[in-house]
Amino acid sequence: MFQTADMFKAFAPFRGKAIVIPGRGGRHWINLSDQPDRDVPLGDPAMGGHASFSFGLAMARPDEKVILFDSEGDILMNMGALTTIAEKSPKNFYHFVLDNGVYATTGGQPVPNAENIQYDIIAKGCGYQSTYSFDNLEDFTNNIENILNQPGPVFVTMKVAPEVENTPINQRVRWQKKTRDQTIADLQKELGPRRS
Amino acid sequence: MAEEEGGFSPQTVINYLKANNVTHVVWLPDSETNFLYTLMTQEPSLELVTISREGQAFSTAAGLSVGGAKPVILIQNTGLMESGDSMRGWAMGMNIPVVMMVGYRGWTRHGVDTDTAATYTEHFIHAFNVKYYLVESDADADRIQVAFDLAEKTNQPVAVLIGDEFHGFVQR
């Protein structure tokens, strides 16, 4: 098991110009990123949708590398999305999953069958050609460059330490620096018109 | 069951998708869309994205739209009702101008429902304050264009309820 913040530090040197959807670990990414207009910290529009959103973005922009940091709770909520992603197999899509075993933002209750699920096996079974699983930072660090240099879709699950929140949701400090609308507008300006 | 020419032609739908420069059809097959599916697979300007639960349609369409593509959503009313939170968060909350073509399972013109899917469909859409238009036949298919125009104008999802199957003949 390793820390989400350390994972992002190991990932940062290899980001290149990729679009990054930092998901629920975004607070650890937002101050590391040197290209905020290519970051898409959406918060949580509706749980379970980040994979499909990022997949759609990758489909719309096949010339851009799209990297999602998903969570296992989101995966469980919409597991069927993995089959659609695998069917279309966008070569520019990199699907990382932070598996902390719990619903951290609701107080740390375990996800169903938390100790026994192997998300990389599920992704493989859904048709992802390339899957990885890491439970320590050293192995992750040693492999991240190779992972990002191969064609997608790649699925990478990581056992990370839970960061449990118990503060009432309306008292939590918002870590995003921009509104959602501004985030999207900045991304679209950065990317320019889509080639048809 | 007698059949006659009329009804709602799948080619009509294809024509509106092409006229509005739609790039992707995010869809989940239902009992009413097979004729349309056959035509869509033959249309090179459309890429079909098959999902496995209707809620995925809204997040997928959001990603496509943010990236500059132009998706439509093609699902049934039963799946729309399953998708409430995804529609709220990923389409309405993200200001996505997407037309969703919704098969109106159970709909009858005389209003006597024998299928609760029809009973609750419009109540559900009203609850989200989403605009919608009913299309029963090619004669009122111009409402599809109205829906596309309104989605663009408001940056919001707009529904087209399909009151007949996409087959091009009338069932009596």
Side-chain angles (χ1 to χ4, degrees):
Chain A
M1 187 174 292
F2 49 117
Q3 300 293 325
T4 299
D6 292 337
M7 181 278 295
F8 275 122
K9 288 175 188 168
F11 159 74
F14 304 104
R15 180 250 183 97
K17 288 180 66 69
I19 299 167
V20 173
I21 298 98
R24 295 178 190 279
R27 73 186 60 202
H28 297 298
W29 173 248
I30 200 160
N31 292 320
L32 287 172
S33 174
D34 57 359
Q35 298 171 79
D37 289 350
R38 284 180 170 265
D39 294 332
V40 195
L42 295 175
D44 190 13
M47 190 170 176
H50 273 100
S52 295
F53 171 83
S54 305
F55 157 71
L57 184 56
M59 291 275 289
R61 294 287 178 160
D63 296 333
E64 300 282 351
K65 191 175 278 189
V66 176
I67 301 174
L68 166 66
F69 290 91
D70 212 346
S71 83
E72 94 281 32
D74 286 89
I75 291 284
L76 288 170
M77 197 168 275
N78 244 327
M79 205 176 275
L82 301 181
T83 64
T84 299
I85 295 167
E87 179 181 56
K88 289 297 187 183
S89 283
K91 296 191 184 313
N92 56 332
F93 183 51
Y94 298 80
H95 193 171
F96 292 78
V97 176
L98 300 164
D99 173 15
N100 61 16
V102 301
Y103 295 110
T105 58
T106 60
Q109 306 88 345
V111 302
N113 208 16
E115 297 299 316
N116 300 307
I117 304 177
Q118 294 177 276
Y119 295 98
D120 57 322
I121 303 296
I122 291 170
K124 195 78 168 176
C126 287
Y128 280 69
Q129 291 297 307
S130 187
T131 63
Y132 295 85
S133 177
F134 297 108
D135 62 6
N136 68 83
L137 183 63
E138 184 178 3
D139 285 348
F140 174 81
T141 303
N142 289 338
N143 283 277
I144 183 63
E145 183 175 18
N146 172 54
I147 287 168
L148 293 172
N149 281 335
Q150 63 185 273
V154 182
F155 187 95
V156 181
T157 184
M158 303 167 291
K159 282 284 185 189
V160 296
E163 297 175 10
V164 173
E165 292 186 80
N166 269 321
T167 309
I169 203 159
N170 61 358
Q171 295 176 22
R172 293 179 190 176
V173 177
R174 190 177 184 278
W175 52 264
Q176 290 95 336
K177 295 178 178 177
K178 298 188 281 193
T179 64
R180 191 178 291 160
D181 287 348
Q182 190 63 52
T183 296
I184 293 170
D186 288 348
L187 175 68
Q188 291 175 328
K189 183 178 178 185
E190 168 74 13
L191 297 179
R194 175 178 181 265
R195 278 185 275 171
S196 57
Chain B
M1 183 175 290
E3 295 175 1
E4 62 186 58
E5 289 301 312
F8 189 35
S9 161
Q11 186 60 52
T12 301
V13 177
I14 299 288
N15 293 344
Y16 276 103
L17 300 186
K18 290 174 68 176
N20 286 280
N21 300 312
V22 168
T23 58
H24 296 78
V25 179
V26 185
W27 83 307
L28 201 155
D30 65 62
S31 57
E32 299 168 344
T33 51
N34 194 46
F35 290 93
L36 180 58
Y37 169 70
T38 302
L39 276 184
M40 290 192 300
T41 59
Q42 297 166 2
E43 175 47 56
S45 67
L46 297 174
E47 179 157 7
L48 303 187
V49 181
T50 310
I51 53 171
S52 54
R53 199 61 175 156
E54 289 84 349
Q56 296 159 19
F58 295 93
S59 41
T60 305
L64 286 162
S65 181
V66 167
K70 186 160 184 179
V72 295
I73 291 170
L74 179 64
I75 56 177
Q76 198 177 50
N77 52 350
T78 49
L80 177 65
M81 289 188 274
E82 166 77 15
S83 305
D85 193 48
S86 293
M87 181 174 71
R88 174 200 62 79
W90 288 103
M92 302 173 71
M94 297 270 292
N95 300 313
I96 303 300
V98 65
V99 169
M100 43 186 172
M101 307 199 63
V102 180
Y104 202 162
R105 198 189 86 181
W107 184 87
T108 58
R109 178 175 283 188
H110 50 68
V112 180
D113 297 334
T114 57
D115 184 340
T116 57
T119 305
Y120 299 115
T121 294
E122 291 183 56
H123 294 296
F124 176 90
I125 297 175
H126 282 301
F128 284 86
N129 200 27
V130 167
K131 285 289 293 183
Y132 68 95
Y133 300 91
L134 175 66
V135 173
E136 297 177 82
S137 70
D138 286 349
D140 45 34
D142 56 354
R143 294 171 195 166
I144 297 173
Q145 188 58 53
V146 175
F148 273 106
D149 293 343
L150 186 63
E152 287 298 324
K153 181 180 174 184
T154 60
N155 281 322
Q156 285 292 296
V158 176
V160 176
L161 299 181
I162 307 299
D164 190 18
E165 299 187 12
F166 304 91
H167 45 52
F169 52 81
V170 176
Q171 295 177 325
R172 302 277 181 204

